[in-house]
Amino acid sequence: MSHVTIDAPVKVNLHLGIHPGRDSRGYHRADSVMVALGVGDTVTVSALPEPPVRPAPASRAESPAADASGVLLAMSEDVGVPPQKNTAWQAAARLRRAFGITTPVRVEVCKAVPPQSGLGGSSSDAASVILALCRLFSLDEKDPRIVDVARSVGADVPFFLNLAPSYLTGAGDVLAQTFPVLEGLPVVLVRPRRGVSTVAAYREFDADPVVPASPAPMLAALRDGDAMAVAAALYNNLEGAATRLVPEILRVKSWLQRRPGVVAAQVTGSGSCVFAICETHAAARAIAARAQDEEDWWSSTTFTVGKRAHFC
Ligand SMILES: C[C@](O)(CO)[C@H](O)COP(=O)(O)OP(=O)(O)OC[C@H]1O[C@@H](n2ccc(N)nc2=O)[C@H](O)[C@@H]1O
Ligand SMILES: Nc1ncnc2c1ncn2[C@@H]1O[C@H](COP(=O)(O)OP(=O)(O)OP(=O)(O)O)[C@@H](O)[C@H]1O
């Protein structure tokens, strides 16, 4: 096998409870309940030829090669950071180092969702790179070094290794419990023009911290597989910080709450995207079209999933 292509689905937070105060790493304690959706980026990882032991002759200097890190990154669009700050690059470089892989690799990311949305796009890219490398080099996905590398790249990355609806504690990076998926629940995503930086949202939260509500109602709803109870229990105490940074989020949320066919709407993660659980896929599609046509907001129609699709 010389390359692996794998999807990188986004997530929404069904419950996000951030606790005031930071730990020694500068992170907040978080109760995070996440579910993956059927939309996202696509990641392809390929093995490149091993670098020659002696310097290459001039004629071979332009063959596809990674830099000294052993990772060559190709993004479908500029996400505003140099390769070394890109989560897909970091995941590949750190996994190679952790497992002593010497074969250079090319990582290609085809972006489909806008950054700074609270959808975890960059975290999912990183997890998909890790899983693709596991397949390419026949690594055991259950090896504890895998989750360590994931966590080192970002708090949301461990969730994306598994993809089942999950309750995470710690900094939102420690898997506490998984649930059966509420397969195929219709969801519409709507994002205002401006995004929210996760770092800025947590800083804004610190300026006026809110003690979080318990995740118990959401955990019970998921245990019961009760979609209406899930919709009734949506919660996010980072929403206030996100909406102070981008007030248009509130307009998106109240617009969604007024649309026929919406059961409930909530900001995901640190925003700026708002998601709505809908009664039907047709209602979700109609709302996405209106958001795009009438308001010029980015939108996408999707559904909840519990595992990833593989391509090869
Ligand atoms: C908002 C959420 O997406 C909810 O799922 C996550 O909490 C953020 O996860 P993420 O994007 O993977 O975040 P990271 O890349 O690990 O962290 C970015 C920055 O967010 C802040 N951060 C993140 C997670 C957390 N529990 N506490 C924090 O204070 C820290 O300043 C950190 O430097
Ligand atoms: N692979 C990547 N794709 C997109 N952005 C990346 C990537 N790697 C690093 N970044 C940086 O991370 C920032 C946040 O991207 P991301 O799409 O994960 O936002 P987000 O959905 O708000 O994240 P989260 O939900 O984890 O808070 C981007 O603005 C960009 O500067």
Side-chain angles (χ1 to χ4, degrees):
M1 199 186 329
S2 64
H3 76 275
V4 173
T5 298
I6 188 167
D7 63 339
V10 299
K11 57 80 178 174
V12 289
N13 298 84
L14 300 174
H15 175 102
L16 183 61
I18 304 301
H19 294 261
R22 291 185 187 250
D23 66 15
S24 55
R25 280 202 310 157
Y27 276 65
H28 294 73
R29 195 151 67 78
D31 305 316
S32 179
V33 181
M34 294 196 267
V35 66
L37 302 178
V39 62
D41 304 337
T42 309
V43 165
T44 300
V45 179
S46 336
L48 293 174
E50 294 274 355
V53 178
R54 279 175 292 156
S59 61
R60 289 181 52 200
E62 284 177 18
S63 66
D67 63 12
S69 71
V71 181
L72 182 70
L73 181 68
M75 298 293 292
S76 63
E77 63 187 62
D78 183 9
V79 293
V81 289
Q84 285 76 4
K85 290 250 160 77
N86 192 300
T87 54
W89 185 94
Q90 290 175 341
R94 291 178 195 182
L95 196 85
R96 281 178 85 254
R97 202 178 319 127
F99 284 85
I101 296 169
T102 53
T103 307
V105 294
R106 179 177 191 273
V107 173
E108 187 181 342
V109 181
C110 186
K111 294 298 291 182
V113 291
Q116 300 203 334
S117 303
L119 294 168
S122 63
S123 305
S124 189
D125 292 348
S128 293
V129 167
I130 291 171
L131 293 176
L133 282 167
C134 285
R135 222 147 295 153
L136 203 55
F137 294 103
S138 304
L139 307 178
D140 177 5
E141 289 174 20
K142 300 277 172 266
D143 187 305
R145 285 172 288 180
I146 302 280
V147 76
D148 288 347
V149 168
R151 191 172 290 126
S152 80
V153 177
D156 281 342
V157 183
F159 163 75
F160 288 107
L161 293 176
N162 180 293
L163 276 204
S166 302
Y167 171 40
L168 298 111
T169 55
D173 57 353
V174 179
L175 185 63
Q177 202 176 346
T178 60
F179 303 89
V181 67
L182 291 158
E183 196 76 62
L185 205 58
V187 171
V188 61
L189 303 173
V190 181
R191 180 193 188 273
R193 278 162 283 268
R194 279 179 57 206
V196 174
S197 141
T198 304
V199 174
Y202 277 102
R203 207 180 298 129
E204 184 65 31
F205 176 85
D206 288 343
D208 188 11
V210 180
V211 173
S214 162
M218 182 58 74
L219 301 182
L222 284 169
R223 257 192 313 268
D224 295 345
D226 183 341
M228 286 301 134
V230 167
L234 295 181
Y235 177 82
N236 183 350
N237 75 337
L238 206 49
E239 175 185 349
T243 57
R244 285 196 296 280
L245 294 170
V246 176
E248 198 181 6
I249 294 172
L250 276 184
R251 202 163 82 74
V252 172
K253 188 176 175 188
S254 65
W255 182 89
L256 274 171
Q257 286 167 330
R258 292 195 308 274
R259 298 280 75 77
V262 165
V263 184
Q266 184 55 272
V267 176
T268 176
S270 50
S272 62
C273 194
V274 184
F275 68 101
I277 296 175
C278 298
E279 285 165 4
T280 63
H281 294 285
R285 277 194 299 274
I287 292 165
R290 257 185 98 167
Q292 196 80 65
D293 297 345
E294 293 178 15
E295 303 285 348
D296 198 26
W297 289 327
W298 177 86
S299 65
S300 180
T301 313
T302 184
F303 47 87
T304 52
V305 298
K307 56 182 188 298
R308 74 184 59 234
H310 297 299
F311 318 91
C312 205

